[in-house]
């Protein structure tokens, strides 16, 4: 016996479910959609503006997306894939703005130049090679490069101010980089969903069981205020962030076997003092310290959250056994299964450097964190900065033929063979590439509908580059980018003029 039936049940009200819900309602308004969220409002976990770095990841400034190969060449494959995927998000958001389903863009996205900065001969050589390789690709044609400290001072005055005996240094810059308030974006999409017929969000409701039925649909048990309701859904999406892994395991689908999670917590240093904040307008990414995982690359970022500017420095990583910020310390122990114990042990054995790094990060005092900041911004004063707690990142542990198990820092969509259940694991590049990830899930879970002319036309209207390659087609990219920069008001030079 079930209490309710829906076409689509989305677990979690973060960036992923709200995007999937919005896309589906645009494609087929007759679908009944239910979002079930354990907390009392939208986007309180990783998606909230203060819980992530808000970088519109496009591989402009993040050096970890361009690996240096043994021969010194720089591999830009991952960078082009991430950049093209971010362009898909920009197109969808532009469509929503044009349709007035999202408000004026500055409420959720703002132009903030993306810059990389490195010190020392070796790093300078790497950045120069990276720039030389990237600038020849149309996706990165607007990238600027300099080794001149005076130009770097113009680009990032706060960081260069009063430095003596400057060692060799280099920087790159893309003026139309972005800061995104993913929390605001998810809330706007949730509001749109709540206004649609046959579309509902239930808060304070925890999904704790799901069982597939003979007709391939799912019976999902939802606990709320001590009562359990069973909801039948033709399609279930586990957009539960860190909570997706335990639910995926409970689904019992064969595709879930061998997966485990490695939670990494995070802290920021935050400054809201206008006299400091006004001296920096960029996201400046450095190189990761040796032995540090890619997600802990230090960066000093301008953030614009709910109309207010702030500076964020970090993240400082740490270890906890919680899969969600508001989760339980039993999350990780309870996720151990006979099918994932081997990959987990193998990752523990082969990643001692990471464990040591996380422990050393956890043990840092606020003072030593501000000391790390002073390597970026030498004049930083302890009293201007406070500690903020970031969301949880649950990195993926999966089976590996050679090693037994491996740790991955990306995002992975797991879809059951019959397409009736999909889950999203992992954290990076995260919310920036949501739309591309969700469209891939639609193709696997709604293959017949996606092939119809109606869905094809609608997807092309929402994402004009759909079905074509922004990586291969320079003309298409030019067209797409000029529209998104204009619609989303991301032209930095005119933005800077407006701001005076
Ligand atoms: C420190 C940090 C920095 C980051 N920086 C960036 C960045 O700069 N750029 C970027 O693009 N991405 C970044 N990310 C990643 C990005 O924040 C995430 O990829 C994105 O927010 C994930 O969205 P989500 O909807 O999957 O998960 P979440 O936002 O975590 O939402 C999941 C929701 O599911 C709910 N839930 C969980 N379990 C259940 C259950 N059993 N029943 C009901 N509800 C449940 C939770 O309460 C939560 O509301 C960062 C993440 C972190 C942690």
């Amino acid at each position: 016996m079930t209490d309710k039936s829906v076409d689509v049940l989305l677990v979690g009200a973060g960036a992923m479910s709200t995007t999937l819900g919005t896309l589906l309602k645009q494609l087929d308004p007759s679908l009944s959609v239910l979002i079930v969220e354990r907390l009392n409002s939208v986007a309180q976990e990783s998606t909230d503006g203060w819980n992530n770095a808000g970088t519109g990841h496009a591989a402009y400034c993040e050096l970890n997306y361009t690996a240096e190969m043994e021969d010194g060449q720089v591999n830009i494959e991952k960078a082009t894939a991430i950049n093209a995927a971010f362009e898909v998000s920009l197109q969808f958001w532009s469509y929503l703005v044009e349709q007035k389903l999202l408000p004026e863009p500055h409420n959720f996205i703002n132009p903030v130049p993306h810059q990389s900065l490195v010190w020392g001969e070796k790093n300078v050589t790497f950045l120069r090679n990276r720039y030389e390789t990237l600038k020849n690709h149309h996706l990165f044609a607007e990238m600027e490069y300099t080794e001149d400290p005076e130009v770097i001072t113009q680009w990032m005055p706060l960081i260069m101010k009063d430095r003596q005996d400057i060692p060799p240094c280099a920087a790159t810059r893309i003026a139309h980089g972005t800061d995104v308030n993913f929390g605001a974006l998810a809330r706007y999409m949730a509001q749109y969903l709540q206004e649609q017929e046959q579309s509902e969000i239930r808060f304070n409701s925890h999904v704790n069981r799901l069982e597939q039925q003979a007709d391939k649909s799912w019976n999902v048990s939802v606990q709320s205020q001590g009562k359990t309701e069973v909801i039948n859904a033709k399609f279930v999406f586990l957009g539960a962030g860190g909570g997706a892994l335990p639910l995926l395991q409970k689904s019992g689908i064969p595709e879930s076997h061998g997966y485990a999670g490695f939670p990494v917590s995070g802290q920021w240093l935050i400054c809201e003092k206008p006299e400091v904040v006004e001296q920096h307008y960029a996201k400046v990414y450095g190189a990761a310290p040796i032995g540090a995982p890619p997600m802990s690359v230090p960066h000093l970022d301008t953030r614009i959250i709910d109309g207010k500017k702030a500076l964020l420095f970090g993240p400082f990583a740490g270890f906890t056994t919680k899969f969600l910020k508001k989760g339980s310390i039993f999350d990780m122990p309870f996720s151990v299964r006979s099918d994932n114990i081997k990959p987990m042990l193998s990752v523990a054995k082969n990643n001692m450097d990471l464990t040591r790094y996380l422990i050393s990060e956890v043990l840092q005092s606020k003072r030593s964190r501000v000391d790390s900041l002073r390597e970026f911004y030498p004049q930083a004063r302890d009293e201007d900065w406070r500690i903020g707690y970031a969301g949880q990142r649950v990195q993926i542990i999966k089976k590996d033929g050679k090693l037994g198990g491996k740790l991955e820092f990306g995002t992975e969509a797991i879809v059951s063979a019959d397409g009736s259940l999909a889950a999203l694991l992992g954290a990076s590049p995260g919310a920036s590439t949501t739309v591309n990830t969700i469209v891939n899930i639609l193709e696997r879970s709604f293959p017949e509908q996606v092939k119809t002319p109606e869905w094809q036309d609608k997807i092309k209207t929402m994402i004009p580059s759909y079905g074509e390659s922004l990586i291969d087609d320079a003309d298409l990219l030019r067209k797409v980018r000029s529209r998104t920069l204009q619609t989303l008001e991301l032209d930095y030079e005119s933005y800077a003029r407006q701001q005076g």
Side-chain angles (χ1 to χ4, degrees):
M1 262 301 275
T2 57
D3 301 292
K4 185 180 167 82
S5 287
V6 290
D7 294 315
V8 173
L9 190 145
L10 310 171
V11 186
M16 301 297 170
S17 292
T18 51
T19 301
L20 178 49
T22 304
L23 266 164
L24 277 173
K25 272 310 234 186
Q26 282 289 306
L27 286 166
D28 183 353
S30 73
L31 285 174
S32 52
V33 174
L34 173 66
I35 298 187
V36 179
E37 167 57 52
R38 69 193 274 267
L39 300 176
N40 63 9
S41 64
V42 176
Q44 288 196 54
E45 284 282 345
S46 293
T47 299
D48 182 70
W50 291 107
N51 285 345
N52 61 67
T55 302
H57 284 307
Y60 293 138
C61 54
E62 312 86 335
L63 302 180
N64 54 307
Y65 295 145
T66 42
E68 188 171 22
M69 297 182 288
E70 273 177 14
D71 60 0
Q73 305 248 9
V74 177
N75 184 340
I76 64 164
E77 219 172 288
K78 193 168 183 182
T80 53
I82 289 172
N83 191 289
F86 184 57
E87 290 291 339
V88 171
S89 293
L90 293 176
Q91 290 174 71
F92 180 56
W93 301 337
S94 296
Y95 164 81
L96 294 178
V97 168
E98 284 161 356
Q99 297 300 308
K100 306 219 177 314
L101 303 179
L102 283 176
E104 290 178 328
H106 66 84
N107 290 291
F108 66 93
I109 189 166
N110 284 283
V112 174
H114 280 197
Q115 302 176 171
S116 307
L117 171 67
V118 297
W119 304 96
E121 285 295 354
K122 197 169 172 286
N123 288 334
V124 169
T125 306
F126 165 71
L127 195 67
R128 193 187 306 123
N129 288 342
R130 179 184 189 267
Y131 163 72
E132 295 291 345
T133 318
L134 283 176
K135 76 156 196 237
N136 288 323
H137 196 287
H138 54 267
L139 287 168
F140 298 91
E142 297 99 346
M143 187 173 271
E144 300 165 79
Y145 174 81
T146 185
E147 291 175 26
D148 180 348
E150 280 186 21
V151 176
I152 301 180
T153 304
Q154 286 165 22
W155 288 357
M156 43 190 107
L158 196 72
I159 291 174
M160 296 300 282
K161 202 164 138 190
D162 295 335
R163 280 187 190 265
Q164 307 293 322
D165 304 324
I166 296 175
C169 53
T172 54
R173 175 179 190 262
I174 288 266
H176 61 72
T178 52
D179 178 68
V180 187
N181 181 348
F182 293 108
L185 194 57
R187 284 179 202 110
Y188 292 128
M189 287 191 283
Q191 192 183 333
Y192 157 76
L193 285 170
Q194 282 171 309
E195 286 163 2
Q196 305 312 299
E197 302 231 328
Q198 300 217 72
S199 173
E200 183 190 349
I201 306 183
R202 285 204 194 161
F203 296 106
N204 302 309
S205 301
H206 190 114
V207 171
N208 54 13
R209 250 172 78 88
L210 57 168
E211 202 175 353
Q212 190 160 33
Q213 306 302 296
D215 66 354
K216 310 268 184 239
S217 69
W218 291 85
N219 278 358
V220 180
S221 302
V222 180
Q223 209 168 31
S224 179
Q225 294 174 335
K227 285 196 201 128
T228 300
E229 197 180 349
V230 178
I231 299 171
N232 179 265
K234 293 191 186 105
F235 169 68
V236 175
F237 175 63
L238 306 177
L245 175 71
L247 291 175
L248 181 66
Q249 291 175 322
K250 284 180 185 171
S251 76
I253 60 169
E255 292 79 1
S256 68
H257 290 175
Y259 282 92
F262 184 87
V264 177
S265 60
Q267 289 183 6
W268 314 107
L269 284 173
I270 299 171
C271 173
E272 291 172 282
K273 288 226 158 141
E275 59 273 30
V276 181
V277 173
E278 289 305 327
Q279 293 181 59
H280 183 80
Y281 196 80
K283 284 179 181 270
V284 180
Y285 276 58
I290 292 162
M295 77 283 186
S296 54
V297 173
H299 44 100
L300 180 61
D301 288 11
T302 296
R303 298 299 317 277
I304 302 164
I305 299 179
D306 304 329
K308 231 182 131 216
K309 276 191 208 154
L311 297 187
L312 216 75
F313 180 74
F316 298 96
F319 180 73
T320 117
T321 52
K322 289 183 185 181
F323 281 168
L324 291 160
K325 193 169 169 181
K326 294 180 182 150
S328 149
I329 53 165
F330 299 110
D331 287 343
M332 192 182 185
F334 284 173
S335 73
V336 180
R337 298 274 190 286
S338 57
D339 64 75
N340 66 14
I341 184 90
K342 198 168 155 210
M344 285 178 99
L345 290 173
S346 147
V347 163
K349 189 173 116 228
N350 297 323
N351 289 274
M352 287 312 286
D353 273 5
L354 174 61
T355 313
R356 268 193 293 273
Y357 171 81
L358 292 177
I359 291 170
S360 71
E361 286 275 291
V362 172
L363 295 176
Q364 275 195 46
S365 61
K366 180 187 168 200
R367 203 191 162 82
S368 65
R369 292 182 201 281
V370 184
D371 284 342
S372 314
L373 167 63
R374 275 190 274 268
E375 287 169 24
F376 254 73
Y377 160 34
Q379 311 302 325
R381 298 186 319 169
D382 291 46
E383 59 272 29
D384 292 343
W385 296 79
R386 66 175 167 87
I387 296 274
Y389 292 87
Q392 287 291 102
R393 280 193 264 211
V394 181
Q395 312 294 345
I396 301 168
I397 294 178
K398 62 196 280 194
K399 284 182 187 162
D400 180 77
K402 253 201 223 143
L403 299 168
K406 64 179 175 183
L407 184 61
E408 292 208 330
F409 294 101
T411 312
E412 191 169 330
I414 319 276
V415 181
S416 63
D418 61 17
S420 64
L421 183 126
L424 208 62
L425 302 181
S428 178
S432 303
T433 52
T434 321
V435 182
N436 195 54
T437 309
I438 295 295
V439 169
N440 289 340
I441 289 176
L442 287 181
E443 287 170 340
R444 292 162 73 186
S445 289
F446 296 82
E448 295 311 320
Q449 293 93 321
V450 165
K451 276 188 224 138
T452 61
E454 293 76 23
W455 278 44
Q456 283 285 317
D457 284 354
K458 187 75 199 197
I459 300 176
K460 278 286 238 182
T461 305
M462 295 188 286
I463 305 162
S465 72
Y466 178 68
E468 292 166 83
S469 169
L470 289 170
I471 299 176
D472 297 336
D473 191 336
D475 284 342
L476 178 66
L477 184 266
R478 227 166 281 131
K479 246 190 267 160
V480 159
R481 190 171 277 170
S482 84
R483 169 184 169 237
T484 55
L485 290 185
Q486 198 184 2
T487 311
L488 297 176
E489 297 165 9
L490 296 177
D491 173 2
Y492 174 68
E493 305 306 336
S494 56
Y495 174 85
R497 275 196 300 277
Q498 269 171 28
Q499 301 288 306

